Amino acid sequence: MARPAPDPVFVLRGSIDAVNSVRFYSPSNGSQEYLLSGCVSGEVRIWNLSSRRSEVTLNGHHGKGILELQLLKKDKILSHGRDNQILVWDVTEGRKDIVSSIDTASFSLCKCAVLSHDDRKCLIAVAGLEKSEVRVHDLESKKVIHRLIPPTEHKSFGMPMCLKFIDSKQLVSGYEDGSIVVWNLETNKIGTEKKLHSEPVMCLDYSITSKKGVSGSAEDKLVSWMIEKDDLETCCEVRLTNPGLSDVCIRQDDKIVTTAGWDNRIRLFGFKKMKPLAILSYHTDSVHCLDSSQPLQHMQYQHLLAAGCMRLIGDTSDAHRMDLSQTLQQMQCK
């Protein structure tokens, strides 16, 4: 008999809107474990996972929603908002300082991708102004160093929907027409491409260690794939009970893949063979975002999974009151 899905370890409440991005954050001093959350109203919160309270609130996106949160070197935080701005925050020693910013000039809902080489070199990929265009910025100079556009004679992929750096020479893009495209950043040309989905690609993740990626779309299918000798090969397709995925996350040890569903469900799969492992059903609305932690030094759990969504608390006194739930669920699968 199958074991019931585990309950959340704890729930963090307090954000005023739906959460679009979550990211585990361990400062270099190693004193505490934190979770970053970004919501539709443009608010970024830093949660202390020991006290389970919000310690810092950042407001720099003028009320526009947060698309993505990323960690940079020297304990800096990057936020990407729907105001076209990418902001870099210094939050050390209680600061709330914006130390750098980039105007992406794009109103796309595509989340940025970040590749941080060292203390100075950092690449940021965003959707461009032209159809199917992806731009790569250098954070230090704030200049566009790569413009990735399909050739004129090539079919249109539609808008970029999701991005992921493989390394400093390759970038993977998921497009509106269902295509996965691997760009060569040395030539700014397409390395390989394949239409793996019949609907827009909503999310993807890639493991450098396993040299394998996974993608989800608006359809009822999760696909794993590999890049072999300039060719994109499908490894496995998993049919889902209900269509629509908002996010997909490969755990750092390459053992588990987690998906965030439009059907309020979080699904866990073994990464090697994409075998279904568990369904977590705490949420009562679409799950928007996921992040899996590294092994935690200061907590009793080896791995945690963070998931953000929006719940509507309906009662006779305030039928439109919003309560944000970010659910942290312990991962017991080995």
Side-chain angles (χ1 to χ4, degrees):
M1 183 177 178
R3 291 181 297 176
D7 291 329
V9 175
F10 51 88
V11 179
L12 304 176
R13 304 178 189 272
S15 295
I16 60 176
D17 252 315
V19 163
N20 286 339
S21 183
V22 289
R23 191 73 57 197
F24 284 98
Y25 169 50
S26 298
S28 56
N29 59 24
S31 59
Q32 294 284 349
E33 306 288 352
Y34 295 90
L35 182 73
L36 309 177
S37 70
C39 70
V40 171
S41 64
E43 179 184 83
V44 177
R45 286 182 178 246
I46 303 177
W47 302 83
N48 185 316
L49 294 184
S50 296
S51 65
R52 303 176 188 180
R53 293 180 180 274
S54 173
E55 290 192 348
V56 178
T57 301
L58 307 174
N59 284 292
H61 289 279
H62 310 290
K64 303 297 183 181
I66 302 298
L67 294 173
E68 180 69 321
L69 296 169
Q70 290 283 349
L71 307 177
L72 304 180
K73 302 293 183 179
K74 294 186 177 180
D75 295 338
K76 291 184 172 59
I77 295 169
L78 180 147
S79 61
H80 179 200
R82 292 188 65 179
D83 58 350
N84 311 326
Q85 296 293 314
I86 290 176
L87 305 179
V88 178
W89 302 82
D90 181 359
V91 294
T92 57
E93 299 178 352
R95 298 185 182 92
K96 299 182 182 181
D97 299 334
I98 298 174
V99 295
S100 184
S101 64
I102 294 176
D103 187 344
T104 66
S106 171
F107 289 92
S108 170
L109 297 181
C110 178
K111 301 176 182 180
C112 71
V114 175
L115 181 66
S116 185
H117 295 286
D118 49 44
D119 291 344
R120 299 186 66 182
K121 189 68 173 179
C122 179
L123 302 180
I124 303 172
V126 297
L129 293 176
E130 296 186 23
K131 194 171 185 180
S132 302
E133 180 190 11
V134 176
R135 295 186 178 187
V136 179
H137 296 256
D138 174 67
L139 179 60
E140 184 180 14
S141 67
K142 302 184 181 180
K143 293 181 179 179
V144 177
I145 58 174
H146 300 287
R147 291 187 67 200
L148 309 175
I149 307 174
T152 305
E153 66 277 8
H154 198 285
K155 67 171 185 177
S156 173
F157 295 123
M159 294 186 297
M161 304 296 291
C162 46
L163 305 167
K164 179 77 175 184
F165 279 102
I166 295 177
D167 51 34
S168 60
K169 299 178 181 180
Q170 291 179 296
L171 174 76
V172 183
S173 303
Y175 285 91
E176 190 178 9
D177 76 334
S179 294
I180 300 291
V181 178
V182 181
W183 290 94
N184 185 325
L185 297 181
E186 294 182 311
T187 63
N188 289 349
K189 295 181 179 179
I190 295 173
T192 183
E193 62 173 287
K194 199 169 200 177
K195 187 171 181 177
L196 299 181
H197 301 273
S198 60
E199 297 287 343
V201 183
M202 304 303 296
C203 53
L204 64 83
D205 201 2
Y206 185 84
S207 166
I208 298 175
T209 305
S210 298
K211 296 182 179 179
K212 188 165 73 171
V214 61
S215 55
S217 70
E219 63 187 337
D220 59 346
K221 185 171 68 173
L222 181 68
V223 182
S224 65
W225 38 268
M226 297 187 73
I227 303 168
E228 291 284 353
K229 297 180 180 179
D230 296 327
D231 188 24
L232 205 154
E233 299 180 359
T234 302
C235 300
C236 181
E237 294 186 2
V238 179
R239 287 291 172 181
L240 306 174
T241 305
N242 299 304
L245 294 177
S246 302
D247 203 1
V248 62
C249 176
I250 301 171
R251 201 169 76 174
Q252 285 82 352
D253 58 8
D254 283 5
K255 291 184 178 181
I256 293 174
V257 174
T258 311
T259 64
W262 296 357
D263 63 352
N264 318 342
R265 301 290 188 265
I266 298 172
R267 289 178 169 82
L268 282 66
F269 303 86
F271 186 35
K272 187 175 182 180
K273 297 182 178 179
M274 299 303 291
K275 178 183 177 182
L277 300 177
I279 298 176
L280 307 180
S281 55
Y282 173 81
H283 293 288
T284 59
D285 207 333
S286 296
V287 186
H288 295 166
C289 52
L290 299 166
D291 192 33
S292 180
S293 73
Q294 298 275 6
L296 301 173
Q297 302 293 328
H298 302 283
M299 301 188 71
Q300 67 186 87
Y301 314 108
Q302 184 179 8
H303 290 281
L304 286 174
L305 172 70
C309 84
M310 177 178 67
R311 288 201 310 172
L312 178 64
I313 306 300
D315 56 34
T316 55
S317 62
D318 189 2
H320 297 284
R321 180 179 175 185
M322 297 286 188
D323 186 16
L324 184 286
S325 296
Q326 288 153 226
T327 308
L328 290 161
Q329 298 177 310
Q330 186 174 6
M331 309 275 289
Q332 297 289 359
C333 302
K334 302 296 183 183

